Amino acid sequence: ASRVVVASRNYADFASEATFEIKKCDIHRLEEGPSTTAVLTREEGLHYYKTMQTIRRMELKSDQLYKQKIIRGFCHLYDGQEACCVGLEAAIKPTDHVITAYRAHGFTYTRGVSVREILAELTGRKGGCAKGKGGSMHMYTKNFYGGNGIVGAQVPLGAGIALACKYFGRNEVCLTLYGDGAANQGQIFETYNMAALWKLPCIFICENNRYGMGTSVERAAASTDYYKRGDFIPGLRVDGMDVLCVREAAKFAAEYCRAGKGPILMELQTYRYHGHSMSDPGISYRTREEIQEVRSKSDPITSLKDRMVNSNLASVEELKEIDVAVRKEIEEAAQFATTDPEPPLEELGNHVYFNEPPFEVRGPNQWIRYKSVS
């Protein structure tokens, strides 16, 4: 009991909020950009820290399970880019919409899916968020339309979601994400055109992690100013390693769309610590020293931790307690993901459509039939 009293007294000594200077965004076709100061409350800071740390540990556990051959198939990890999904989610409402590419685990978590369901999906178990049938690239939940495996193909889908928001008169926006490697896809430019013509509430977001598969952006794109690629669509270039920069820029973009001005484009300059996928060691086209330099100078979790401790929003000990709790949560989730049964074969045809009457689906040959249930 005395320990609880001491802890509560210590916590009362912390500042309730602090104001930070953040990096100015580069802007395109805008008279002014997002604020260069950001207010961070203690509660927000602790939430962002725990969320980013959870995603980091979840991805490291995924790496371990993949190397043990418990996770199979494609697997694209998000560690290093946590400030992007956490900052974006902090700026929008749960009723807003998100669609992304195949590096989707972080967004799945920030949209409300538990670590347990994500890891179980990765291991192909029935307790996974897609009942074990989606795997790494195909995770979904309410208002989150998943990771998508075809490069750039989620961008027209995102514009379609934004069209639905406008058509039904809902004051909602759709965050439509893609990587620098997809930024040269023709379908993206076609989508820019439609979104601008119809003034869709779509925030196009290029997560520029500097490498499309094993190719640096300089070798793949004649122009690496991805925030200007919309031409007639306004753009922002944002420090994607700073959760507060991302949050403030996303708030600005969401307000722009909600005001009926049409689409806006954001480029988040970020970095992935792992290779493109688990089959890529990630060091044949970049050096270990480069990765280490980014880790030491601009890691999103370390940066937030330093800000919070230096401004008296939290103590080192308190953040260490969060780290311990996160590790425990990840281990328990991994235990579930490796012991939960696989989905039964008779459910193979389920969930083809949402909210439809059951119908038959042909199996591997014409004599095998499965019933699809929503």
Side-chain angles (χ1 to χ4, degrees), residues 14 38 46 115 154 174 177 189 204 208 213 218 232 244-245 285 302 314 333 338 348 367:
F14 290 121
L46 291 173
V115 176
Q154 72 281 2
C174 181
L177 291 111
F189 295 90
F204 295 106
N208 176 9
M213 296 190 75
E218 290 81 11
F232 38 79
L244 295 183
C245 271
Y285 50 86
T302 305
T338 53
L348 189 65
W367 296 284

Side-chain angles (χ1 to χ4, degrees), residues 66 71-75 278:
Y66 196 96
I71 294 173
R72 299 295 188 107
F74 293 103
C75 187
M278 286 301 297

Side-chain angles (χ1 to χ4, degrees), residues 184-229:
N184 300 316
Q185 283 273 321
Q187 60 192 319
I188 291 179
F189 295 90
E190 294 175 33
T191 306
Y192 289 162
N193 186 57
M194 286 189 290
L197 281 173
W198 299 340
K199 291 195 179 303
L200 301 183
C202 189
I203 306 175
F204 295 106
I205 303 170
C206 176
E207 287 186 291
N208 176 9
N209 60 26
R210 292 167 51 179
Y211 297 95
M213 296 190 75
T215 307
S216 69
V217 292
E218 290 81 11
R219 292 184 66 219
S223 169
T224 57
D225 290 335
Y226 296 104
Y227 73 110
K228 294 180 179 178
R229 289 285 197 92

Side-chain angles (χ1 to χ4, degrees), residues 220-267:
S223 169
T224 57
D225 290 335
Y226 296 104
Y227 73 110
K228 294 180 179 178
R229 289 285 197 92
D231 187 11
F232 38 79
I233 297 175
L236 302 165
R237 181 158 60 191
V238 185
D239 181 358
M241 300 299 275
D242 181 348
V243 69
L244 295 183
C245 271
V246 176
R247 185 190 72 180
E248 294 307 305
K251 281 182 179 176
F252 177 93
E255 286 171 11
Y256 181 94
C257 286
R258 290 191 216 281
K261 297 178 182 177
I264 191 167
L265 203 160
M266 291 172 62
E267 175 190 343

Side-chain angles (χ1 to χ4, degrees), residues 271 273 287-297:
Y271 197 83
Y273 293 158
T287 62
R288 293 181 191 275
E289 289 73 27
E290 178 185 301
I291 302 167
Q292 192 53 46
E293 184 179 14
V294 175
R295 279 183 178 275
S296 61
K297 290 184 177 177

Side-chain angles (χ1 to χ4, degrees), residues 40 45 48-53 55-56 78-87 239-246 269-273 291 293-308 319:
L40 178 68
Y48 300 162
Y49 180 83
K50 183 179 180 184
T51 306
M52 288 198 290
Q53 194 67 276
I55 294 167
R56 175 72 55 87
Y78 200 71
D79 48 321
Q81 298 184 211
E82 297 90 351
C84 296
C85 62
V86 175
D239 181 358
M241 300 299 275
D242 181 348
V243 69
L244 295 183
C245 271
V246 176
Q269 293 190 311
T270 185
Y271 197 83
R272 55 171 165 79
Y273 293 158
I291 302 167
E293 184 179 14
V294 175
R295 279 183 178 275
S296 61
K297 290 184 177 177
S298 54
D299 182 81
I301 299 174
T302 305
S303 300
L304 179 63
K305 178 181 180 179
D306 291 345
R307 271 179 172 157
M308 292 182 69
L319 298 177

Side-chain angles (χ1 to χ4, degrees), residues 95-100 143-146 148 154-168 170 172-176 200-202:
T95 50
D96 289 322
H97 308 268
V98 178
I99 186 167
T100 188
N143 297 333
F144 176 62
Y145 307 86
N148 291 265
Q154 72 281 2
V155 178
L157 299 180
I161 296 164
L163 175 60
C165 293
K166 183 170 183 176
Y167 181 82
F168 291 113
R170 300 192 294 249
E172 298 165 359
V173 299
C174 181
L175 274 57
T176 301
L200 301 183
C202 189

